Amino acid sequence: MATAGKVIKCRAAVAWEPSAPLMMEEIEVAPPQEGEIRIKVVATGVCHTDLYHLFEGKNKQGFPTVLGHEGAGVVESVGPGVTDFKPGDKVIPLFISQCGECRFCKCPKTNLCDRNWTSNNHNIMSDPITRLTCRGQPILQFMGTSTFSEYTVMNQIAVAKIHDDAPLDRVCLLGCGIATGYGAAVNTAGVTPGSVCAVFGLGAVGLAAVMGCKNAGASRIFAVDINEKKFEKAKIFGATDFLNPKAYNKPISEVLAEMTNGGVDFSLECVGNTEVMRSALESCVKGWGVSVMVGWTDVKDFSARPIQLISGKTWKGSLFGGFKSKDSVPKLVKDYMSGKIKLDEFITHNMSLEQVNDAINLMKTGECIRSILNISK
Ligand code: NAD
Ligand code: ZN
């Protein structure tokens, strides 16, 4: 590659400050250093966590940044010491690393690698180290990734090599939303055959959770959203019942309890709202109900009455669906290619990188499931 070892100048959408539109800029992407890989990004989804950082978290220390963490691309060049990747390999950047050596990677109970940005930098949602600069300033790599850019640099512990025939403009969704919702159901909740489930929030994450419940053999899946336009899609992924909490003059947990003889076996919160997290817990049956927080928020405390847990319910959280990233993403790509999981049905819009602010608005107004930004060929 003619670009190997050199700084690459390319286009990226930079978030200079909270709550402001992203700006198309020319950025510089440094060559990969020891153990690093420079990736040409081909396509990326837009996830609500990008919007969270921009409009809800709004931590000033987390800017300027290049958002985007649901991408797929091709290796452009590799740094010293990289032996498992070569230019041309198809890859998915991972916002959760898997070094394979830390005590968390060695433990089968978790996917939280200790070398990830999440270890110390929840507030800025980035590692302070970045390979991106613009107008002489370092630009943070959001969630360690930055896929709203033509190129990015990742440590090899946070890159999954995937099948050569994988369509990058679809499998990019496995870099976040779909793996997250699907895994939250099959791994974290551990949905069992014949069970009754409820999924709160029917964006891509929630719909993927519905798909997970269905694939795990749930007999009844309640799809809960305040936007009824989402119900049609939820049906495609296997939901059997549809509830709009705004249509009832009592709490949705009471409605569900009446419809299910006491509550659901499993509930998944895929909104990022602490009130909905509470409601999802309250919707579970006593004795064995399990509720999983999947929605992302870190600006508010959550609360619930202790009796909810004293009565035998379990409240859990899930990051990236509990999947050990490097091991699991290539398998999920194969599951898509063999028809075991759906991806195409999540995609409602195809756009260019220049249209990123339009894609953000579509999500803000609830008009999309996933918009794919096609970044390069
Ligand atoms: P989205 O915006 O596409 O979907 C959210 C859905 O929630 C929308 O359909 C909306 O109508 C619905 N909703 C809003 N308020 C509601 C309410 N009070 N009751 C019921 N439904 C309500 O978002 P997404 O991309 O699917 O992401 C969902 C959440 O998952 C976000 O919080 C995101 O940050 C989070 N997330 C978490 C992880 C993780 O690893 N834990 C990974 C990715 C995304
Ligand atoms: Zn995401």
Side-chain angles (χ1 to χ4, degrees):
M1 286 260 171
T3 45
K6 298 178 190 152
V7 170
I8 290 181
K9 290 189 176 185
C10 70
R11 290 175 312 131
V14 177
W16 288 103
E17 53 181 343
S19 301
L22 310 190
M23 302 280 285
M24 287 307 301
E25 304 277 4
E26 183 180 81
I27 66 163
E28 296 86 37
V29 182
Q33 300 188 10
E34 178 80 28
E36 294 179 348
I37 299 172
R38 190 158 57 185
I39 299 167
K40 180 178 180 181
V41 181
V42 171
T44 180
V46 178
C47 168
H48 202 110
T49 311
D50 300 311
L51 277 72
Y52 167 82
H53 188 68
L54 195 58
F55 300 114
E56 293 161 56
K58 296 197 280 193
N59 188 305
K60 283 220 157 73
Q61 307 303 313
F63 293 81
T65 186
V66 171
L67 298 170
H69 59 282
E70 197 175 74
V74 175
V75 174
E76 174 269 340
S77 63
V78 300
V82 175
T83 52
D84 295 345
F85 296 85
K86 59 178 187 318
D89 283 348
K90 285 188 175 176
V91 290
I92 291 184
L94 304 166
F95 75 85
I96 298 254
S97 55
Q98 187 185 353
C99 75
E101 283 160 14
C102 72
R103 67 189 178 106
F104 296 91
C105 279
K106 283 188 176 148
C107 174
K109 293 180 189 174
T110 181
N111 62 343
L112 299 186
C113 174
D114 214 12
R115 286 181 63 192
N116 208 51
W117 62 271
T118 43
S119 305
N120 300 310
N121 306 296
H122 274 118
N123 290 335
I124 68 167
M125 297 190 80
S126 305
D127 194 309
I129 296 169
T130 174
R131 302 285 173 244
L132 313 182
T133 51
C134 180
R135 304 186 199 197
Q137 273 189 62
I139 307 292
L140 291 170
Q141 290 183 237
F142 180 65
M143 295 174 88
T145 50
S146 286
T147 58
F148 295 169
S149 172
E150 289 179 303
Y151 287 88
T152 188
V153 178
M154 307 281 306
N155 193 296
Q156 61 183 343
I157 64 171
V159 182
K161 186 167 160 174
I162 59 166
H163 198 287
D164 283 337
D165 298 331
L168 298 176
D169 58 351
R170 314 268 162 96
V171 298
C172 59
L173 295 179
L174 292 168
C176 182
I178 311 315
T180 294
Y182 186 74
V186 302
N187 300 327
T188 317
V191 170
T192 48
S195 61
V196 177
C197 301
V199 176
F200 292 70
L202 305 171
V205 175
L207 293 172
V210 170
M211 178 167 76
C213 294
K214 165 91 177 162
N215 282 13
S219 61
R220 202 170 173 192
I221 305 168
F222 288 87
V224 184
D225 202 301
I226 53 173
N227 178 351
E228 294 189 10
K229 283 190 279 183
K230 308 280 176 132
F231 292 163
E232 204 180 315
K233 279 275 181 189
K235 208 174 205 170
I236 296 172
F237 291 102
T240 55
D241 298 75
F242 307 88
L243 298 175
N244 177 357
K246 286 193 169 164
Y248 297 88
N249 52 16
K250 56 182 160 189
I252 201 68
S253 55
E254 283 179 29
V255 176
L256 277 162
E258 284 163 15
M259 295 176 78
T260 59
N261 188 24
V264 301
D265 301 306
F266 300 97
S267 70
L268 298 115
E269 194 276 355
C270 304
V271 179
N273 174 319
T274 54
E275 291 304 316
V276 182
M277 289 171 179
R278 177 178 188 146
S279 170
L281 175 69
E282 290 171 350
S283 301
C284 284
V285 67
K286 70 181 179 195
W288 60 77
V290 175
S291 188
V292 181
M293 295 178 185
V294 190
W296 185 277
T297 182
D298 199 29
V299 288
K300 258 189 177 176
D301 291 346
F302 61 83
S303 62
R305 289 287 173 88
I307 193 66
Q308 290 292 324
L309 303 186
I310 294 167
S311 66
K313 301 182 189 180
T314 304
W315 212 359
K316 307 170 95 174
S318 182
L319 196 59
F320 197 55
F323 282 116
K324 286 200 186 268
S325 60
K326 240 173 126 79
D327 290 346
S328 305
V329 167
K331 291 185 194 149
L332 288 167
V333 168
K334 285 189 188 151
D335 285 348
Y336 163 67
M337 294 173 76
S338 69
K340 188 177 163 200
I341 59 172
K342 300 182 201 292
L343 290 181
D344 304 3
E345 291 78 355
F346 291 97
I347 300 168
T348 52
H349 298 76
N350 285 285
M351 307 174 123
S352 66
L353 180 57
E354 281 72 16
Q355 292 172 296
V356 62
N357 289 308
D358 298 337
I360 287 172
N361 278 330
L362 283 172
M363 179 165 272
K364 237 180 162 178
T365 53
E367 288 165 85
C368 67
I369 300 298
R370 274 297 190 260
S371 301
I372 301 292
L373 306 178
N374 295 285
I375 296 189
S376 44
K377 287 254 152 44

